[in-house]
Amino acid sequence: MKPGLLPFDDALAALLGQAAPVDEVETIDTAAASGRVLASDIRSALDVPPRDNTQMDGYAVRRADLLQAAADRPVRLPVAQRIPAGHVGRPLAPGEAARIFTGGLVPEGADAIVMQEMATADGDTVSFSQCPAPGEWIRRAGEDIRNGSVILAAGARLTPQATGLAASVGLASLPVRRPVRVACFFTGDELAMPGEPLRPGAIYNSNRYVLGALVRSMGCELVDLGNVPDTLAATREALRRAAQGNDLIVTSGGVSVGEEDHVKPAVEAEGELRMWQIAIKPGKPLAYGRVRRGAPDAGVAHFIGLPGNPVSSFVTFLLLVRPFVQRLQGMADVAPRALPMRADFDWPKPDRRREFLRAKLNADGGLDLFPNQSSAVLTSTVWGDGLIDNPPQHAIARGDVVRFLPFSELTR
């Protein structure tokens, strides 16, 4: 690693150290809360289920009535009542059974359920050839959720099943942090938009589509400021516009040290720059800073400048911008889950920097490597299933176990 390059873990820790969650809290319908981040712990005000109920269609019984039941000497009981789900039966008297259906409330006095396949019905009576275990097929009150318990923790991103859990305890609304507002713009006179003629020397701006989609997929409000000319003045003006009303500014391109790379001096002029070269591949030129919002008491917007190469931009967003945004959203756990996987390839010449290699799961349960790991080959991100997190100067031999970060973990 070259002197002056910031190790990846140090860069990530420094970024997260700056990412205080947004303060504003909204109360929204539970039905619309999937994808949002909880602002406070959610406790249940009731037991779930609220009363003992049956897991099976069958018969509610008193075990004492069936202790003598055997295959050659079945016990026959009258069926004294019928209890569908949503109905309350009367107490079960000794010497009688109750027909009961899945979800039905277990009547007082019953201490087990015999599933209907283990009973023989005959008119208004039913016979049993064995005695059930104590509490068999009974779902106890509070078995799923106890009254007063925390069912969803603050800082959790709500999944569809989490909103269902909130609904199961009667919560029609939930407190969530307001969406993080992210402004994006893209530098480079060579950039053209799809649908426009491609003039000599120009390239289509794929980063605008990739980064915009990633921002929206995280539940953020996206302000897309489009392409910005390669001048210091234009870049400074774009930063000033982007800082107004937004929490984070994300740019792509212009963060190297060339004469036409204006993002670094523009951020320094409009605010401050904290770090800007990281020891990873792809993605070394990356900047973090803050941009003033004009008036002295208007605060600042965070700034992250990504490299212009499409794979570098994509990878650094996943590894650095994503957890930063999650912290702004109030999430506590922002580390993606890594899987130990078998490498079905050789990588004999590793880089001095920490590498994130595009790889794909194969039919044998191992990983194949995309043959061209260039930071300009966006095809690799579509072909691949994730990134291999390879330490600096670490060669990989076929059969080695590597640390694999699936895209499914990095893009949710």
Side-chain angles (χ1 to χ4, degrees), residues 101-188:
F101 299 88
T102 301
L105 299 181
V106 177
E108 181 183 340
D111 55 9
I113 304 295
V114 178
M115 59 190 301
Q116 62 186 15
E117 292 84 353
M118 303 302 294
T120 302
D122 184 8
D124 293 333
T125 65
V126 60
S127 59
F128 306 92
S129 59
Q130 63 183 32
C131 182
E136 188 166 350
W137 299 120
I138 293 178
R139 186 185 293 114
R140 296 297 183 186
E143 182 178 298
D144 186 10
I145 298 170
R146 288 289 185 186
N147 188 346
S149 65
V150 174
I151 59 169
L152 296 168
R157 185 183 296 280
L158 291 165
T159 59
Q161 56 269 38
T163 62
L165 185 62
S168 77
V169 299
L171 293 173
S173 61
L174 293 170
V176 297
R177 295 191 185 272
R178 68 143 171 91
V180 171
R181 303 182 186 113
V182 181
C184 293
F185 67 84
F186 307 86
T187 64

Side-chain angles (χ1 to χ4, degrees), residues 181-185 221-225 242-243 246 248-251:
R181 303 182 186 113
V182 181
C184 293
F185 67 84
E221 293 181 2
L222 172 67
V223 177
D224 184 352
L225 299 178
N246 295 306
L248 172 64
I249 304 166
V250 177
T251 66

Side-chain angles (χ1 to χ4, degrees), residues 77-103:
L77 299 176
V79 179
Q81 57 181 311
R82 185 175 184 273
I83 309 175
H87 294 262
V88 179
R90 61 174 175 77
L92 189 67
E96 64 182 24
R99 181 74 165 112
I100 195 167
F101 299 88
T102 301

Side-chain angles (χ1 to χ4, degrees), residues 162-381:
T163 62
L165 185 62
S168 77
V169 299
L171 293 173
S173 61
L174 293 170
V176 297
R177 295 191 185 272
R178 68 143 171 91
V180 171
R181 303 182 186 113
V182 181
C184 293
F185 67 84
F186 307 86
T187 64
D189 287 341
E190 76 279 10
L191 297 177
M193 288 303 295
E196 298 175 352
L198 196 63
R199 64 188 184 278
I203 58 172
Y204 287 122
N205 186 358
S206 62
N207 287 346
R208 187 175 184 180
Y209 289 80
V210 174
L211 298 183
L214 287 171
V215 168
R216 286 190 295 267
S217 73
M218 298 187 69
C220 299
E221 293 181 2
L222 172 67
V223 177
D224 184 352
L225 299 178
N227 296 352
V228 172
D230 263 340
T231 69
L232 180 59
T235 306
R236 291 185 63 178
E237 172 59 23
L239 287 170
R240 288 191 289 267
R241 291 171 55 203
Q244 300 304 313
N246 295 306
D247 305 296
L248 172 64
I249 304 166
V250 177
T251 66
S252 174
V255 293
S256 293
V257 292
E259 292 182 4
E260 297 300 319
D261 294 322
H262 300 295
V263 172
K264 180 178 181 289
V267 175
E268 291 173 329
E270 297 296 329
E272 58 180 338
L273 200 68
R274 298 288 185 87
M275 56 189 182
W276 63 283
Q277 287 206 351
I278 300 176
I280 59 174
K281 185 180 181 181
K284 181 179 71 173
L286 184 138
Y288 168 75
R290 294 179 175 185
V291 177
R292 295 184 296 272
R293 291 194 179 117
D297 59 349
V300 296
H302 297 285
F303 168 84
I304 300 179
L306 304 178
N309 278 327
V311 177
S312 298
S313 179
F314 174 67
V315 169
T316 50
F317 186 99
L318 298 182
L319 299 176
L320 294 161
V321 180
R322 172 185 168 274
F324 185 84
V325 170
Q326 288 176 325
R327 280 290 170 85
L328 293 181
Q329 293 172 323
M331 292 181 63
D333 184 10
V334 300
R337 287 175 293 185
L339 303 177
M341 298 288 296
R342 186 188 70 245
D344 288 347
F345 60 88
D346 295 310
W347 186 248
K349 296 181 179 180
D351 197 85
R352 292 178 295 177
R353 291 172 285 167
R354 186 167 171 178
E355 297 173 294
F356 292 92
L357 307 170
R358 281 85 75 196
K360 183 182 183 70
L361 297 166
N362 61 39
D364 297 323
L367 293 173
D368 294 330
L369 195 69
F370 194 76
N372 186 347
Q373 291 289 318
S374 165
S375 61
V377 182
L378 193 57
T379 307
S380 63
T381 65

